[in-house]
Structure formats: C-alpha cells, structure tokens
Amino acid sequence: MTRPAARGGSRASADRLARLLNLVPYLLARPGIEIAEAAGDLGVTERQLREDLELLWVCGLPGYGPGDLIDMAFDGDRVTITYDAGIDRPLRLTPDEALALVVALRMLAETPGVANREAVERALAKIENAAGDLVAAPVEVRLPADTRQVQELRTAVESGRALRITYYTAARDETTERVVDPLRMLMVGGRAYVEAWCRRAEAVRLFRSDRIDAVTELDEPAVVPPQARPHDLTDGVFRPSPDLPLITLRVGRSERWITEYYPCESVAAGDADQWLVSLRVTDLGWARRFVLGLGPEVTVVAPVELAEQVRAAAAAALDAYASPAPSPAPAQPAGGPDTPAAPSAGPAVTAGAQ
C-alpha cells in the first residue's frame, strides 16, 4: 500500500473554478473558435483546456439530466457552446446564498495576505446594498488566528518599514532576534505568517505569527533585494525536497493520524497491523522532538542516528524521574544561622486550668 506524498492544493482548484466560470461566456462570444487560440487567450495549455471542456459536460442546473447540462459541439479542433444552461443570465441570489456570500467576503477581507482588499470591500458593499434586508442580520467573522497580535503585525507590514522581531524557531528549539523586510501577510492552514526578507539568513523566510514573541517597527523603510522571491504555497508551507533528511517510522493504529497531517513520501503496510511511514523533515533535531512526542506505538526504523538520539533522550528523561529528590536543607531562624534559637514556650496551657 502506498499513498501519495502531497495533498491537492486549494489554490489550483480555485484557479480552475475561476477559469471554468469565465470559459462559457468566452466561448459564447466566439463560436467555432480553435482550441489552440482559446488556450492561448486563456493562458493555459491545450491539454488543460480540453480537460476543462470535458468537465463542462457534467456542469449545469440541478436535475443534471438532458436539457440541464452545458452542451457543446466540436468540429475538428474548433468548439462551439450549443447550450449554456442559463449561465449568461443575471445571477439572482436567494437569502441563504446572499448571506453565505457576505460571510465568505467578510472572511476574505479579514484574511492576511489578500492583495486587493479594497476590491473585496467594494464587492461586499454592493452585495449588502443590493440584498438589503436579506443580509441585515448582524454577522461577525473571526478567523482562528485573528488575534490582536495578527492585527498589529498586519499594521506593521502595511507600514512599509523594516521590523525587528524576536522569533522562536521550532525546528532548532531556539529563540533569535532578527531584522526583516516584510513582503506580505499570509494565511495558510488557519495560521497567519509574515513573509519577509531576513537579513540574518539573507533569504526569504516565513515567520509564524504565534511564534513571534516581540516586534518593533524600525525607523527605516523595508528594502527587499531584487533576488527575493515569494514562496509558492500551493501545497502548503513545508515543501519536502530530496536534500532534506528522510526518516522511516513503524507506527501502530493509534498513530496513523500522522499520515494525514504530514506529507509522507510513502506509507506501506507492515507486520501485525503496523505501517511503515517515510517522510522528509527539516532536520533530525526536529524529528527527535517529534518522535518523543508520539505514543508508544512508534518505533524509529531509520536513520540509525535518529534512533540513537531518541533512545538517549528517553533514557535521560527516565533517569531524571528515577533520581530521588534532594533533601531540603534544615530551616534556619529568620535572623540567619548565628541567631540564637527562641526559648521554649513551655507546656501548653489549657483554658480554665489552675
């Protein structure tokens, strides 16, 4: 049994949806257009356009029977839309649809990294004005990472100035101070990031907002070098590459969740209901802490160096628990060791005794 390493990117799906929505009116205005010409206009390959056209065959109105689906005719390498399933008619939203769209736009407007927030806010205002009472109910959108710190970081990034940050690097378990030149704010997997040129690393880095312990806006503009390029985050923040260490773990049923949470190179069935899981890691230090945080149904298969590190760390932890706690020092009088002890108060006296 083998599983693919990467999960499908949401950006690719969103791009394809936007392309399909534009494809029908484009073809309606150009009946009989050559597929090669259409692909050039739309900025895709002929193969991708043909795959989009095949998908359009099963798109249309609820019911999805004859007369409901988009239809088209091919004449050699030319295509013509013969039935558009009403996609050319003005959109009329139901109350539920209007409210859902308003919530989605409000969430988009609050998402760090949105390039054209003004356009989103204009579209939101138009829908709210047109829908009227349909969306009059108060709706507050709060993202999982929408904290005061994220708001402060967004303001600092938008100021266009360099920042001094105190940052915790989980891969090396260390805290460092850096001066960065921000590029943008991003929201990936429900977490906010600052993408910036790091003067310490002399490269573009991603900094998780919840690992930034302190941020100071400097009195100098952010200067991003020409060679700085934003990361492609289509498949997530972590992008496994062949130059990163490869680890192999034997996991039991209770720890199989890691195959869904982390990008794995391979997952194979082993003995006794166990899986052999191979994945790339940033470094073995992170891998050691990762394995130590898992349950007892995980065994390091490779590399040997990682197995030795995990064994040594586990043994040290057990030794710490096994060592008896040092005996507390005898209490000293308040005045110090040379202060004479207070005289005895004598026997206890019971109330009423003679």
Side-chain angles (χ1 to χ4, degrees):
M1 176 183 64
T2 302
R3 292 188 176 184
R7 293 165 286 184
S10 59
R11 181 180 298 179
S13 300
D15 290 345
R16 191 177 193 189
L17 175 60
R19 192 167 61 247
L20 288 172
L21 292 174
N22 291 325
L23 184 55
V24 174
Y26 171 86
L27 295 177
L28 285 173
R30 299 165 180 82
I33 189 173
E34 291 186 354
I35 292 180
E37 181 182 351
D41 290 346
L42 297 172
V44 297
T45 63
E46 291 187 40
R47 178 180 176 181
Q48 181 62 67
L49 180 57
R50 291 182 184 276
E51 291 178 355
D52 291 344
L53 293 173
E54 291 177 1
L55 183 57
L56 283 179
W57 285 108
V58 294
C59 296
L61 300 172
Y64 308 108
D68 298 323
L69 301 178
I70 295 173
D71 202 0
M72 65 195 79
F74 291 90
D75 182 10
D77 288 334
R78 298 178 178 274
V79 60
T80 300
I81 295 289
T82 57
Y83 178 66
D84 59 20
I87 199 170
D88 61 332
R89 295 195 295 269
L91 181 63
R92 294 292 183 266
L93 299 176
T94 66
D96 290 344
E97 291 171 340
L99 183 58
L101 187 56
V102 167
V103 171
L105 285 172
R106 288 180 182 172
M107 180 176 294
L108 185 61
E110 294 301 319
T111 301
V114 174
N116 195 345
R117 192 184 310 276
E118 293 79 8
V120 174
E121 292 175 347
R122 288 197 302 270
L124 179 59
K126 289 180 180 179
I127 294 175
E128 289 178 332
N129 291 335
D133 294 337
L134 296 182
V135 293
V139 176
E140 181 179 1
V141 175
R142 187 180 301 275
L143 298 178
D146 190 12
T147 63
R148 181 183 300 275
Q149 184 180 20
V150 174
Q151 297 293 336
E152 293 175 353
L153 285 170
R154 180 190 299 171
T155 301
V157 170
E158 291 175 349
S159 70
R161 295 185 178 276
L163 306 176
R164 176 179 287 108
I165 63 173
T166 302
Y167 188 71
Y168 170 71
T169 304
R172 296 189 297 273
D173 192 24
E174 66 177 9
T175 300
T176 57
E177 188 173 279
R178 308 159 181 254
V179 175
V180 300
D181 300 292
L183 281 77
R184 56 178 177 167
M185 287 284 293
L186 297 167
M187 181 69 72
V188 183
R191 299 186 184 276
Y193 293 82
V194 177
E195 187 174 34
W197 174 265
C198 178
R199 299 183 186 179
R200 183 172 182 263
E202 296 186 346
V204 176
R205 292 288 186 264
L206 285 169
F207 301 99
R208 255 176 60 171
S209 65
D210 58 343
R211 293 178 180 168
I212 298 177
D213 296 330
V215 58
T216 303
E217 186 176 325
L218 302 181
D219 191 20
E220 58 177 287
V223 180
V224 180
Q227 68 270 25
R229 294 291 182 272
H231 291 85
D232 181 4
L233 303 177
T234 302
D235 296 323
V237 175
F238 178 68
R239 305 189 65 188
S241 60
D243 60 316
L244 293 177
L246 179 68
I247 68 172
T248 301
L249 308 175
R250 182 181 293 110
V251 303
R253 181 179 296 274
S254 64
E255 302 297 340
R256 291 180 181 178
W257 61 269
I258 66 176
T259 63
E260 302 293 337
Y261 193 81
Y262 296 95
C264 301
E265 289 210 349
S266 66
V267 179
D271 299 331
D273 201 26
Q274 294 182 328
W275 288 359
L276 288 175
V277 179
S278 296
L279 63 157
R280 299 282 176 179
V281 296
T282 53
D283 56 51
L284 293 186
W286 181 91
R288 172 177 54 81
R289 295 190 298 276
F290 171 64
V291 173
L292 288 171
L294 298 174
E297 293 191 11
V298 175
T299 304
V300 178
V301 177
V304 175
E305 179 184 357
L306 175 60
E308 293 175 347
Q309 291 181 9
V310 171
R311 186 180 299 110
L318 289 175
D319 289 343
Y321 280 104
S323 300
S327 301
Q332 298 291 339
D338 298 330
T339 303
S344 172
V349 177
T350 304
Q354 299 297 323

